[in-house]
Amino acid sequence: MSRIHPQNKAACLETICASNYRKLLNLIPNIRNLAQSTIGKASQKPDLQLEVLERSAHTLTVKLSHRFNQLPNDLWMPDVTVRVYLDAELAEVLRDHARSDVSRVYKDPGKTSEILNYKWQLNYFLLKWLDHCLSINYQFTDRKATEVIA
């Protein structure tokens, strides 16, 4: 896959985060009211699981993962942690299964170009993954999934 290099990554990143928010709400319409977690099902596809890690008045921090088996030591991937800004209507990836949180990688705030590139890659991946999940038509139920979330 060729790399995309927009002229203004900061503006494009905000656009991607706004798009990720809309896509996440299309995928899981009741995300604002989830108690703890939910499971998305699609025919012949691995479960898609969402777990609420943190909740405040204006934000949710969630983990979104595919579960490839139903065994206790399953492989969970891509396992992204996303901060959902309910008031600003943005969803930003904090980390994924392969990369650490940006705040742990870049301790020097002067490395804005590297930080922006890092965030761009994480959020562009989420954009494409959410497109994929929406195209498969995952359906989420309101039942709690805490018994299967490890």
Side-chain angles (χ1 to χ4, degrees):
M1 180 168 96
S2 63
R3 292 196 176 251
I4 297 172
H5 299 284
Q7 292 288 340
N8 186 342
K9 270 192 185 162
C12 288
L13 181 59
E14 183 176 350
T15 301
I16 285 175
C17 289
S19 181
N20 285 344
Y21 176 85
R22 288 187 304 277
K23 290 174 190 219
L24 199 56
L25 260 59
N26 283 337
L27 187 63
I28 309 163
N30 66 335
I31 194 170
R32 291 174 176 253
N33 302 317
L34 287 177
Q36 183 62 34
S37 57
T38 187
I39 298 173
K41 302 276 187 187
S43 178
Q44 305 295 315
K45 299 295 180 186
D47 289 350
L48 185 60
Q49 299 195 354
L50 181 126
E51 179 183 5
V52 177
L53 302 175
E54 183 182 312
R55 179 188 311 273
S56 71
H58 303 289
T59 63
L60 288 172
T61 303
V62 299
K63 183 166 82 168
L64 188 63
S65 305
H66 276 299
R67 187 171 188 175
F68 288 98
N69 296 308
Q70 296 299 320
L71 303 172
N73 294 326
D74 286 2
L75 180 60
W76 296 74
M77 289 189 48
D79 199 30
V80 294
T81 302
V82 179
R83 170 99 13 95
V84 181
Y85 300 92
L86 301 169
D87 52 348
E89 296 186 351
L90 300 170
E92 176 186 23
V93 178
L94 301 177
R95 63 169 297 156
D96 70 5
H97 69 283
R99 293 172 277 220
S100 297
D101 190 308
V102 69
S103 64
R104 292 185 183 197
V105 174
Y106 296 102
K107 302 284 186 198
D108 180 3
K111 296 186 176 185
T112 41
S113 179
E114 290 92 344
I115 293 169
L116 192 56
N117 287 334
Y118 194 76
K119 286 185 170 192
W120 168 262
Q121 291 171 3
L122 289 169
N123 286 284
Y124 187 74
F125 168 77
L126 180 63
L127 178 85
K128 292 303 185 181
W129 187 35
L130 289 173
D131 282 341
H132 169 73
C133 292
L134 286 165
S135 73
I136 292 173
N137 199 28
Y138 274 94
Q139 298 294 310
F140 285 82
T141 61
D142 288 334
R143 73 177 180 84
K144 291 184 182 178
T146 52
E147 68 277 0
V148 294
I149 299 288

